[in-house]
Tab-separated table of all heavy atoms in Angstrom:
chain	number	residue	atom	x	y	z
A	266	THR	N	-16.533	-44.108	-12.142
A	266	THR	CA	-17.037	-43.561	-13.435
A	266	THR	C	-18.035	-44.384	-14.018
A	266	THR	O	-18.197	-45.495	-13.786
A	266	THR	CB	-15.848	-43.324	-14.397
A	266	THR	OG1	-15.407	-44.584	-14.909
A	266	THR	CG2	-14.687	-42.676	-13.734
A	267	SER	N	-18.834	-43.636	-14.856
A	267	SER	CA	-19.883	-44.284	-15.753
A	267	SER	C	-20.018	-43.510	-16.946
A	267	SER	O	-19.859	-42.263	-16.909
A	267	SER	CB	-21.150	-44.493	-14.892
A	267	SER	OG	-21.739	-43.220	-14.639
A	268	GLY	N	-20.416	-44.222	-18.056
A	268	GLY	CA	-20.604	-43.473	-19.298
A	268	GLY	C	-19.341	-43.044	-20.015
A	268	GLY	O	-19.459	-42.228	-20.929
A	269	LEU	N	-18.279	-43.477	-19.615
A	269	LEU	CA	-16.954	-43.239	-20.195
A	269	LEU	C	-16.433	-44.393	-20.900
A	269	LEU	O	-16.605	-45.498	-20.539
A	269	LEU	CB	-16.005	-42.765	-19.216
A	269	LEU	CG	-16.321	-41.414	-18.414
A	269	LEU	CD1	-15.259	-41.108	-17.260
A	269	LEU	CD2	-16.498	-40.284	-19.399
A	270	THR	N	-15.594	-44.078	-22.001
A	270	THR	CA	-14.856	-45.137	-22.570
A	270	THR	C	-13.488	-45.196	-22.137
A	270	THR	O	-12.677	-44.256	-22.276
A	270	THR	CB	-14.882	-44.995	-24.158
A	270	THR	OG1	-16.235	-44.846	-24.705
A	270	THR	CG2	-14.168	-46.006	-24.852
A	271	PHE	N	-13.093	-46.392	-21.504
A	271	PHE	CA	-11.763	-46.395	-20.815
A	271	PHE	C	-10.741	-47.183	-21.705
A	271	PHE	O	-9.694	-47.269	-21.362
A	271	PHE	CB	-11.976	-47.144	-19.538
A	271	PHE	CG	-12.532	-46.288	-18.432
A	271	PHE	CD1	-13.908	-46.264	-18.300
A	271	PHE	CD2	-11.705	-45.399	-17.700
A	271	PHE	CE1	-14.383	-45.497	-17.377
A	271	PHE	CE2	-12.261	-44.521	-16.720
A	271	PHE	CZ	-13.731	-44.563	-16.516
A	272	THR	N	-11.200	-47.563	-22.963
A	272	THR	CA	-10.095	-48.286	-23.768
A	272	THR	C	-9.290	-47.182	-24.588
A	272	THR	O	-8.257	-47.678	-25.114
A	272	THR	CB	-10.880	-49.189	-24.791
A	272	THR	OG1	-11.748	-48.456	-25.503
A	272	THR	CG2	-11.645	-50.249	-24.040
A	273	ASP	N	-9.673	-45.938	-24.512
A	273	ASP	CA	-9.025	-45.034	-25.321
A	273	ASP	C	-8.850	-43.735	-24.584
A	273	ASP	O	-8.716	-42.664	-25.346
A	273	ASP	CB	-9.645	-44.796	-26.712
A	273	ASP	CG	-11.135	-44.334	-26.610
A	273	ASP	OD1	-11.620	-44.378	-25.497
A	273	ASP	OD2	-11.692	-43.903	-27.601
A	274	VAL	N	-8.784	-43.592	-23.378
A	274	VAL	CA	-8.662	-42.596	-22.502
A	274	VAL	C	-7.565	-42.580	-21.502
A	274	VAL	O	-7.109	-43.705	-21.096
A	274	VAL	CB	-9.956	-42.017	-21.809
A	274	VAL	CG1	-11.105	-41.909	-22.849
A	274	VAL	CG2	-10.332	-43.121	-20.822
A	275	ALA	N	-7.121	-41.408	-20.962
A	275	ALA	CA	-6.224	-41.435	-19.850
A	275	ALA	C	-6.980	-40.687	-18.683
A	275	ALA	O	-7.893	-39.845	-19.011
A	275	ALA	CB	-5.007	-40.544	-20.229
A	276	MET	N	-6.684	-41.173	-17.594
A	276	MET	CA	-7.362	-40.547	-16.380
A	276	MET	C	-6.250	-39.850	-15.501
A	276	MET	O	-5.215	-40.360	-15.266
A	276	MET	CB	-8.083	-41.560	-15.537
A	276	MET	CG	-9.312	-42.228	-16.304
A	276	MET	SD	-10.644	-41.221	-16.541
A	276	MET	CE	-11.164	-40.835	-14.763
A	277	GLY	N	-6.671	-38.708	-15.000
A	277	GLY	CA	-5.723	-37.923	-14.163
A	277	GLY	C	-6.318	-37.402	-12.842
A	277	GLY	O	-7.535	-37.212	-12.678
A	278	TRP	N	-5.422	-37.359	-11.846
A	278	TRP	CA	-5.808	-36.707	-10.544
A	278	TRP	C	-5.155	-35.340	-10.494
A	278	TRP	O	-3.993	-35.218	-10.748
A	278	TRP	CB	-5.245	-37.613	-9.400
A	278	TRP	CG	-6.026	-38.816	-9.096
A	278	TRP	CD1	-5.694	-40.056	-9.499
A	278	TRP	CD2	-7.308	-38.962	-8.342
A	278	TRP	NE1	-6.645	-40.987	-9.005
A	278	TRP	CE2	-7.586	-40.263	-8.354
A	278	TRP	CE3	-8.129	-38.067	-7.817
A	278	TRP	CZ2	-8.769	-40.818	-7.637
A	278	TRP	CZ3	-9.270	-38.480	-7.198
A	278	TRP	CH2	-9.491	-39.843	-7.053
A	279	PHE	N	-5.996	-34.348	-10.031
A	279	PHE	CA	-5.474	-32.994	-9.971
A	279	PHE	C	-5.945	-32.552	-8.542
A	279	PHE	O	-6.841	-32.887	-7.973
A	279	PHE	CB	-6.241	-32.138	-11.023
A	279	PHE	CG	-5.723	-32.352	-12.342
A	279	PHE	CD1	-6.268	-33.408	-13.032
A	279	PHE	CD2	-4.771	-31.605	-12.897
A	279	PHE	CE1	-5.775	-33.672	-14.332
A	279	PHE	CE2	-4.335	-31.767	-14.166
A	279	PHE	CZ	-4.918	-32.796	-14.845
A	280	ARG	N	-5.052	-31.605	-7.990
A	280	ARG	CA	-5.301	-30.940	-6.752
A	280	ARG	C	-5.453	-29.471	-6.839
A	280	ARG	O	-4.754	-28.776	-7.673
A	280	ARG	CB	-4.116	-31.186	-5.893
A	280	ARG	CG	-4.123	-30.593	-4.411
A	280	ARG	CD	-2.906	-30.800	-3.603
A	280	ARG	NE	-1.822	-30.090	-4.172
A	280	ARG	CZ	-1.523	-28.840	-3.940
A	280	ARG	NH1	-2.226	-28.143	-2.964
A	280	ARG	NH2	-0.464	-28.177	-4.456
A	281	GLN	N	-6.452	-28.840	-6.144
A	281	GLN	CA	-6.667	-27.494	-6.219
A	281	GLN	C	-6.803	-26.946	-4.785
A	281	GLN	O	-7.676	-27.326	-3.998
A	281	GLN	CB	-7.829	-27.145	-7.033
A	281	GLN	CG	-8.049	-25.723	-7.187
A	281	GLN	CD	-9.161	-25.362	-8.202
A	281	GLN	OE1	-10.171	-26.107	-8.337
A	281	GLN	NE2	-9.021	-24.241	-8.818
A	282	ALA	N	-6.025	-25.897	-4.387
A	282	ALA	CA	-6.155	-25.238	-3.102
A	282	ALA	C	-7.042	-24.046	-3.397
A	282	ALA	O	-7.094	-23.455	-4.488
A	282	ALA	CB	-4.819	-24.947	-2.555
A	283	PRO	N	-7.709	-23.532	-2.321
A	283	PRO	CA	-8.540	-22.327	-2.477
A	283	PRO	C	-7.713	-21.175	-3.044
A	283	PRO	O	-6.678	-20.820	-2.535
A	283	PRO	CB	-8.944	-21.993	-1.060
A	283	PRO	CG	-8.998	-23.366	-0.336
A	283	PRO	CD	-7.791	-24.034	-0.968
A	284	GLY	N	-8.231	-20.551	-4.190
A	284	GLY	CA	-7.688	-19.442	-4.752
A	284	GLY	C	-6.463	-19.783	-5.765
A	284	GLY	O	-5.835	-18.938	-6.258
A	285	LYS	N	-6.241	-21.010	-5.783
A	285	LYS	CA	-5.122	-21.621	-6.638
A	285	LYS	C	-5.639	-22.318	-7.858
A	285	LYS	O	-6.855	-22.809	-7.970
A	285	LYS	CB	-4.189	-22.551	-5.860
A	285	LYS	CG	-3.522	-21.836	-4.708
A	285	LYS	CD	-2.544	-20.767	-5.052
A	285	LYS	CE	-1.876	-20.228	-3.832
A	285	LYS	NZ	-0.878	-19.188	-4.210
A	286	LYS	N	-4.781	-22.504	-8.926
A	286	LYS	CA	-5.185	-23.334	-10.069
A	286	LYS	C	-4.998	-24.776	-9.790
A	286	LYS	O	-4.236	-25.115	-8.965
A	286	LYS	CB	-4.245	-22.765	-11.269
A	286	LYS	CG	-4.535	-21.324	-11.742
A	286	LYS	CD	-3.798	-20.982	-12.876
A	286	LYS	CE	-4.065	-19.558	-13.275
A	286	LYS	NZ	-5.452	-19.286	-13.707
A	287	ARG	N	-5.732	-25.560	-10.571
A	287	ARG	CA	-5.525	-27.079	-10.525
A	287	ARG	C	-4.045	-27.451	-10.867
A	287	ARG	O	-3.549	-26.871	-11.861
A	287	ARG	CB	-6.476	-27.628	-11.435
A	287	ARG	CG	-7.937	-27.740	-10.823
A	287	ARG	CD	-8.902	-28.284	-11.813
A	287	ARG	NE	-10.118	-28.760	-11.122
A	287	ARG	CZ	-11.226	-28.797	-11.778
A	287	ARG	NH1	-11.304	-28.528	-13.084
A	287	ARG	NH2	-12.352	-29.212	-11.123
A	288	GLU	N	-3.478	-28.340	-10.169
A	288	GLU	CA	-2.159	-28.847	-10.481
A	288	GLU	C	-2.187	-30.411	-10.660
A	288	GLU	O	-2.971	-31.099	-9.935
A	288	GLU	CB	-1.224	-28.634	-9.348
A	288	GLU	CG	-0.981	-27.122	-9.116
A	288	GLU	CD	0.032	-26.843	-7.945
A	288	GLU	OE1	0.345	-27.850	-7.279
A	288	GLU	OE2	0.394	-25.665	-7.859
A	289	GLY	N	-1.661	-30.887	-11.788
A	289	GLY	CA	-1.628	-32.228	-11.916
A	289	GLY	C	-0.787	-33.033	-10.931
A	289	GLY	O	0.270	-32.584	-10.486
A	290	VAL	N	-1.395	-34.134	-10.338
A	290	VAL	CA	-0.833	-35.037	-9.450
A	290	VAL	C	-0.385	-36.189	-10.038
A	290	VAL	O	0.846	-36.697	-9.779
A	290	VAL	CB	-1.796	-35.225	-8.297
A	290	VAL	CG1	-1.283	-36.227	-7.282
A	290	VAL	CG2	-2.249	-33.982	-7.628
């Protein structure tokens, strides 16, 4: 990442299959 403030954020990974909605990993 660049241009983000990491002292006050959370970061998440998500998975998305074709035709499906994103799911939190």
Side-chain angles (χ1 to χ4, degrees):
T266 67
S267 63
L269 298 175
T270 301
F271 286 90
T272 58
D273 61 351
V274 302
M276 296 291 296
W278 284 102
F279 291 79
R280 180 184 67 87
Q281 185 173 32
K285 301 291 186 178
K286 298 183 181 297
R287 280 172 167 157
E288 297 181 347
V290 176

